[in-house]
DNA sequence: CTAATTAAGTCAAGCGAATTGACTTAATGC
DNA sequence: GCATTAAGTCAATTCGCTTGACTTAATTAG
């Protein structure tokens, strides 16, 4: 009756694992390269033409890929390129923020097919969950109107919300204490009947940049997300890294100096929360976005001062990230209006000299990512799709079957 | 003749990959658990008894595992445990530091079987390489005296030296400018005929902790190495992370504050180099180790002051690491005498409150790792063994065969 | 002391997915 | 019009894991 074996070991694999991996590799190759012929795929994946042919045939009959018109390109038989079918899979993404929640439905390619948003009561998760379930149901209905097969092809629900998760009880107003304690995932799984996964908002942002943005196909990238708080989404070795307890990248609590008066959490200086405070804005205002935009356009003195201050600390953050992670690029994204984010990035230049100042860079040290407020929900939705279709180590291994 | 295909894709796999993975999983399981029967292995790896039997038979005939006496444990046929054979594989590890180089020969279990050290000319890599090749040759001879099969079973040469690597030309005295430019790996590969791999000293230290130290079997750990410089070795998801260009964890260049007088690289405050400077010691002295030890034992005022200062900044570093990586534990290791390292860890307490203050911790937030000066060479030697025997994603994939 | 039970491990046939090598198809280039 | 080149298929093979029955050897119950 000892329920957990004390033996520690990785799981082995078999032909199912092989086959699953190869399918995923095909799908990823088509996602990254657009459309490829079987011969192209065989060369790219190191598999034989025959193996590729079999897999593609499978994927085609599963409705995940489709053949395009044959193309002639020099000698030899014309090749038939295949591309992914967007309607091959769908996922729901949910972004929960302090005062607002957004839900989207996306397809296999990461296109947003339906979206909806609603206000959230900051301190009443049980009421909030009802609102959220309603929101998700609405998005699912819209999706069903677009594709008849949507329900059958729905791979899961991805949730993104501000971290960190699983700490000691905390009443820090910067976090969402009531939500941290609520059994959210269970409630959502029960209410939707879907597989539910959770990540923090910065991680979702990084995932979004990875599928449709500046990090597309980049294996080592860090995505700084300046939202109500500030966090970093980590793409390491081509996969999202979430740490030992799902809290990796929660850089907002990093201290700006070892001690003394300058020893402030980054979040208190470079986040929209600090901006709201600095400018005496109310984050619950529905036109908060327009207010910020107007202040930036008008080059309001207090706004400019905040930008300079935040840029100062962000410049340091980028240096730190480069020093610690050695990424190919750093991407700054934000829930703020694009004009503000752009100003911020401009104010961060020139960047501090760092290890990233290398002779032959392919990508800029710092890029402006998307400022679309829906991108976090998009990234959240991408997580279940990635789990289902990307070539992951874990996808090769045999899964522990439930005991009798 | 386009030498590089523009198509980006991961490699596929086949039964060879499956089999290679399963072999590696068995070896890892035996390494982590000591000795296991076939039935144990089958349960732990999810493979069938039969599959395990075949693999174990293979491993046994390859001389990598050996059967122990059968043990009776309750009803049923007694089980026959198997354990790894240390002499199943060997590797050479090389630690290159500013003034000193060390070489070790280790076996599959990470035991050091031979060791040798020599002084290095700081600015003459070409002469240095001769010394190193001599050193390695000596260690190999010693190893051959212990095991006849050693040469046949030598899987590679792992090199550890201070990073960062591949930067713009730099004359920073803290680094090793002459060595950075020298084609070291090529020279060593040519001179030894072995596969050569390179990592920075902190990464090697983390690897050493992983196989024989505090990080044994831990999947998320950061190893702070206080040597001549300071660096962090990152164990993420059970594997060493080296970043986009092999420089991840080079935390020594992290700035202690965004700007102003406190904006100093960590390395200038918390590293043995800073200690030497503070105490006016000469790092090239052969009894430097004893000198430091004596000062600590005598509770020398300047030494204590340095410890307090360094501990202050290291406390901040640990907080930063916890915030960014969310590891299960942080391990402090050092090239300094154990008494000094122990004092340093004591002076770092109490740690700053952080995200790592969670209710149910399995491991301490901060642990003292090894201070054995040979551990970096050991970690360097572990790298080729890990590449050859650990279950890695990359080991499953088909390898791109060289074109005709 | 014997029989039932439990668990380790083997045997032999089966299966699934990639491989192999010959073959077909359909273009271009000379 | 023929040789060449490349995409893609066909059919047989291979290889490693799985399956299910079987053997071996211990403990426990009666």
């Amino acid at each position: 009756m000892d329920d957990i074996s004390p033996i520690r070991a990785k799981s082995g694999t078999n032909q199912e694992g092989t086959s699953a991996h190869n399918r995923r590799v095909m799908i990823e190759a088509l996602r990254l390269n657009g459309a490829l012929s079987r011969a192209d795929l065989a060369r790219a994946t190191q598999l034989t033409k025959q193996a590729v042919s079999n897999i593609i045939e499978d994927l085609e009959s599963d409705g995940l890929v489709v053949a395009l018109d044959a193309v002639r390109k020099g000698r030899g038989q014309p090749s038939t390129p295949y591309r992914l079918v967007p309607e091959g899979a769908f996922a729901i993404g949910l972004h929960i923020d302090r005062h607002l929640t957004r839900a989207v439905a996306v397809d296999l390619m990461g296109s947003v097919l339906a979206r909806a948003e609603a206000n959230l009561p900051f301190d009443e998760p049980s009421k909030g969950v009802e609102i959220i379930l309603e929101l998700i149901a609405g998005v699912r209905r819209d999706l069903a109107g677009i594709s008849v097969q949507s329900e059958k092809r729905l791979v899961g629900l991805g949730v993104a919300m501000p971290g960190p998760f699983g700490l000691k009880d905390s009443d820090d107003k910067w976090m969402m204490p009531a939500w941290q304690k609520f059994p959210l995932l269970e409630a959502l799984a029960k209410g939707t009947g879907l597989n539910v996964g959770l990540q923090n908002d910065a991680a979702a942002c990084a995932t979004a940049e990875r599928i449709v943005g500046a990090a597309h196909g980049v294996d080592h990238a860090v995505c700084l997300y300046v939202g109500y708080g500030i966090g970093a989404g980590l793409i390491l070795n081509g996969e999202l890294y979430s740490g030992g307890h799902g809290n990796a990248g929660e850089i907002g609590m990093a201290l700006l100096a070892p001690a003394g008066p300058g020893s402030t959490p980054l979040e208190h200086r470079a986040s929209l929360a600090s901006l709201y405070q600095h400018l005496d804005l109310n984050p619950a205002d529905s036109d908060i976005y327009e207010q910020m935009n107007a202040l930036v356009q008008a080059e309001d003195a207090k706004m400019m001062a905040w930008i300079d201050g935040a840029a100062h600390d962000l410049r340091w953050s980028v240096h730190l990230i480069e020093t610690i992670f050695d990424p190919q690029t750093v991407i700054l994204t934000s829930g703020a209006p694009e004009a503000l984010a752009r100003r911020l990035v401009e104010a961060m230049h020139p960047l501090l000299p760092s290890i990233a100042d290398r002779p032959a860079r392919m990508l800029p040290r710092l890029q402006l990512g998307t400022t679309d407020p829906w991108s976090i929900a998009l990234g959240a939705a991408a997580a279940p799709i990635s789990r289902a279709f990307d070539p992951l180590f874990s996808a090769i291994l045999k899964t522990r079957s439930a005991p009798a």
Side-chain angles (χ1 to χ4, degrees), chain A residues 10 17 42 72 74 84 108 148 182 187-188 209 215 251 266 284 294 304 317 330-331 341 363 366 385:
Chain A
K10 280 212 174 62
R72 287 178 294 210
L84 287 183
L108 182 57
V148 196
F182 192 80
L188 291 180
E209 289 295 332
I251 198 177
L266 176 62
M304 294 299 124
S317 308
V330 176
I331 300 164
L363 300 169
L366 178 66
I385 291 192

Side-chain angles (χ1 to χ4, degrees), chain A residues 161-229:
Chain A
M161 63 182 288
F165 307 126
L167 299 193
K168 279 204 279 223
D169 287 357
S170 151
D171 292 323
D172 190 337
K173 286 274 294 175
W174 294 80
M175 298 193 243
M176 300 172 69
W179 285 85
Q180 296 283 353
K181 289 171 210 157
F182 192 80
L184 179 65
L185 297 190
E186 293 77 357
L188 291 180
K190 186 144 173 281
T192 63
L194 296 173
N195 289 323
V196 182
L198 175 68
Q199 55 189 332
N200 68 49
D201 45 11
C205 215
T207 308
E209 289 295 332
R210 190 166 153 68
I211 39 169
V212 295
H216 189 65
V218 178
D219 279 344
H220 304 270
V222 175
C223 187
L224 256 182
Y225 170 66
V226 181
Y228 192 89

Side-chain angles (χ1 to χ4, degrees), chain A residues 26-27 30-31 34 64-66 82-86 108-109:
Chain A
M26 299 292 154
I27 290 169
L30 293 180
R31 171 173 288 129
L64 288 170
V65 307
V66 65
Y82 286 79
R83 66 162 175 79
L84 287 183
V85 175
L108 182 57
M109 306 291 286

Side-chain angles (χ1 to χ4, degrees), chain A residues 313-336:
Chain A
D313 294 335
L314 287 172
R315 198 180 298 128
W316 173 82
S317 308
V318 169
H319 179 270
L320 188 65
I321 286 169
E322 290 176 338
T323 305
I324 292 186
F325 288 104
D326 187 24
Q328 291 162 281
T329 188
V330 176
I331 300 164
L332 188 131
T333 62
S334 176

Side-chain angles (χ1 to χ4, degrees), chain A residues 393-404:
Chain A
F393 194 14
S394 56
I396 294 190
L397 310 182
K398 294 184 74 171
T399 50
R400 201 161 297 265
S401 50

Side-chain angles (χ1 to χ4, degrees), chain A residues 91-164:
Chain A
I92 309 289
L94 180 70
H95 177 194
I96 299 176
D97 210 341
R98 274 87 180 164
H99 305 284
L100 192 65
T101 179
R102 293 191 166 103
V104 298
V106 308
D107 63 26
L108 182 57
M109 306 291 286
S111 304
V112 175
L113 303 179
R115 62 181 77 200
E117 62 184 337
N119 290 313
L120 269 191
F122 186 79
D123 274 328
E124 291 173 275
S126 57
K127 188 183 280 183
V129 164
E130 284 179 35
I131 297 174
I132 288 170
L133 286 174
E134 185 101 359
L135 201 69
I136 292 175
V139 165
R140 269 169 100 165
R141 273 195 302 274
D142 292 350
L143 179 62
I146 296 171
S147 164
V148 196
Q149 304 219 312
S150 68
E151 283 295 316
K152 210 186 320 173
R153 291 177 178 272
L154 210 45
V155 295
L157 167 65
V159 180
M161 63 182 288

Side-chain angles (χ1 to χ4, degrees), chain A residues 99 228 271-296 300 302-303 306 336-337 340:
Chain A
H99 305 284
Y228 192 89
S271 69
L272 296 189
S274 78
L275 174 65
Y276 299 150
Q277 206 169 359
H278 186 78
L279 298 184
D280 240 331
L281 299 175
N282 177 4
D285 278 359
S286 60
D287 65 341
I288 181 78
Y289 210 76
E290 288 72 27
Q291 288 180 43
M292 286 192 281
N293 213 3
L295 289 169
V296 172
D300 171 82
K302 281 188 98 171
M303 173 62 92
W306 179 85
L340 176 48

